[in-house]
Amino acid sequence: MTKQVLKKIIQAIFITFILVAVGSVSNHSVKADHVSDFKAKMVTPVKNAASRYQVWPSVMMAQAALESSWGQSDLTLQANNYFGIKGTYNGASVTMRTAEYDANGKLYYTNAQFKKYPSAEQSMNDNGNTLRNGVSWDPTYYAGTWRERAASYQAAANALTGKYATDPAYGTKLISVINTNGFHALVDGGYTAKYIVGQTVQIASFAGTETNGTSLTNRRGWIGTIKKVTAKNHASSHFQYYVQYKAGKTTVSNWYVAEQDIQTPAAPKYQVGQTVQVASNALAETNGSSLVKFRNFSATVKKVQADNHSSSHYSYYLAYKNGKTSASSWYVPEQDIRVATARFGVGANVQVTGSATTETNGTSISSRRGWIGTVKKVSTNNFAASRFEYYVEYTNGTQTVSNWYVPEQALTTPQAPKDVAGKVVQITNNALKETNGTTLIPKRGKMGVVQKVAPNNFNVSHYEYRVNYTDGTSSWYVPEEAIK
């Protein structure tokens, strides 16, 4: 166990035993009028101290109630000390018997000096200072209780469990005291901040000014991140927010945005994994890098981030494929992106054009000219005039063959088959065999009716036919070249 962890444990145990030793009621029992008196007396000190240190007033008030037995402990009555804080205050102190642990973890009792405050508010200030400034080895030790970190008094109360006291139900007890006695409405004003630190928000389209009067009209629609939350009554708002924005290569901010002028951001138009296309009039990324060479390129969205640039409020990291190489743009503004649609979808029948030369990886496809196949996969690839490449599978006699990287420019809609189902046809007098190798010589000159047509690239044919003959026999794989 490290010294730092041990320190934290000892501190929590120490606080717990202070509550046991000096937070006891002694000869004073807690009555209903004590609770009422406590509430009436503590509203102003708690509000003042909590506002000063930007912590939740209801949590501070609940702590004071629990740890001072509603202001009736000997330490509180004698010294206005509601939290068992040791030491002196401006030289003033009281001595109380308390339980402590020695270095070996053994419990012992001793007399100790505790701060004596002139009023309750100074005691609340000490508590607020502790929560805001933490402990010597970690100034953010109680950061979970800060107004800008805790979205509610419940979150702040629970953040004290295991830190301020070892009692695993400490936070739950505080919340119970708050709820039972109406502390939230009494000292928090009954309002909870709608947004929390770290949350992404958008400035409303009707936003006028910050709470300090600074204009927000040039920030309308902007998306940013909340960095701080403070209580502030302004128009219909009860909180104000420090909001930080990314704007191209710079970071800008507004310190006093009223809650009424903030909303949940509109979703980005495009999502990670989506296929998109750079607009034909795109000029530059939000960081100033040129987009001209990527105009009309298809791409895959890899990342989306808030970025306020021109009319855009998001920028996108786009990954391009360009033949056998890859490229990317990190900050493409939303205004320069379009939905990209491939000409052919998975499952579509396509035909390799008569002018096709190579796949996007350089492999020749001249031997596939005129072949008809089925698209099995579509990917972005900016190759010559193409924005997509296709994995195409063909039937070749009894075999299945494929090309993995056929550019879109090398594909077209297939020519129609020469004959269709239901048409009467005749086997040519020079027919040799079906696409599966079965001889057609005995069928030469026979008449039949086409039952089915399917792509099959065999010799000079690109379709095969199932033919039922008038004598009751049939051929299942007659190449188009063997029919007239």
Side-chain angles (χ1 to χ4, degrees), residues 53-72:
Y53 293 101
Q54 283 301 297
V55 293
W56 282 88
S58 58
V59 175
M60 180 181 286
M61 197 165 189
Q63 280 191 282
L66 276 182
E67 298 176 23
S68 71
S69 296
W70 295 91
Q72 299 304 303

Side-chain angles (χ1 to χ4, degrees), residues 93-107:
S93 66
V94 294
T95 300
M96 292 277 180
R97 184 170 176 76
T98 182
E100 296 187 8
Y101 279 104
D102 63 19
N104 298 316
K106 185 177 180 181
L107 179 68

Side-chain angles (χ1 to χ4, degrees), residues 84-119:
I85 306 297
K86 276 187 171 184
T88 63
Y89 184 85
N90 291 337
S93 66
V94 294
T95 300
M96 292 277 180
R97 184 170 176 76
T98 182
E100 296 187 8
Y101 279 104
D102 63 19
N104 298 316
K106 185 177 180 181
L107 179 68
Y108 69 97
Y109 291 88
T110 186
N111 291 327
Q113 277 189 320
F114 292 87
K115 291 184 178 183
K116 183 175 182 178
Y117 301 99
S119 71

Side-chain angles (χ1 to χ4, degrees), residues 90-291:
N90 291 337
S93 66
V94 294
T95 300
M96 292 277 180
R97 184 170 176 76
T98 182
E100 296 187 8
Y101 279 104
D102 63 19
N104 298 316
K106 185 177 180 181
L107 179 68
Y108 69 97
Y109 291 88
T110 186
N111 291 327
Q113 277 189 320
F114 292 87
K115 291 184 178 183
K116 183 175 182 178
Y117 301 99
S119 71
E121 186 165 333
Q122 281 76 24
S123 183
M124 299 304 110
N125 283 338
D126 250 7
N127 174 259
N129 181 61
T130 297
L131 298 183
R132 173 54 60 174
N133 296 305
V135 290
S136 60
W137 65 87
D138 185 359
T140 63
Y141 190 62
Y142 297 113
T145 67
W146 300 349
R147 287 298 286 263
E148 67 268 29
R149 296 284 184 91
S152 64
Y153 67 85
Q154 293 95 332
N158 285 325
L160 289 168
T161 302
K163 288 197 169 186
Y164 193 90
T166 55
D167 183 355
Y170 188 66
T172 302
K173 290 176 181 177
L174 292 176
I175 293 168
S176 177
V177 169
I178 293 168
N179 292 340
T180 301
N181 297 280
F183 285 178
H184 180 49
L186 183 65
V187 290
D188 292 340
Y191 300 106
T192 300
K194 190 175 181 181
Y195 308 100
I196 62 173
V197 170
Q199 188 170 350
T200 301
V201 295
Q202 186 170 30
I203 304 301
S205 60
F206 50 80
T209 63
E210 296 183 66
T211 61
N212 68 345
T214 302
S215 176
L216 273 174
T217 55
N218 64 336
R219 297 283 198 262
R220 288 175 177 172
W222 279 39
I223 295 172
T225 303
I226 292 175
K227 295 297 183 180
K228 185 178 181 182
V229 185
T230 54
K232 178 72 174 181
N233 297 303
H234 176 82
S236 63
S237 298
H238 300 288
F239 293 90
Q240 65 184 11
Y241 299 81
Y242 167 34
V243 183
Q244 195 172 83
Y245 321 89
K246 183 180 185 299
K249 294 188 289 185
T250 63
T251 299
V252 295
S253 59
N254 291 106
W255 282 79
Y256 309 106
V257 183
E259 190 167 81
Q260 68 202 40
D261 292 326
I262 291 176
Q263 62 190 26
T264 300
K269 192 172 180 181
Y270 309 101
Q271 308 300 321
V272 171
Q274 188 171 351
T275 300
V276 296
Q277 188 170 26
V278 178
S280 60
N281 61 345
L283 292 175
E285 297 181 62
T286 63
N287 68 346
S289 298
S290 177
L291 277 173

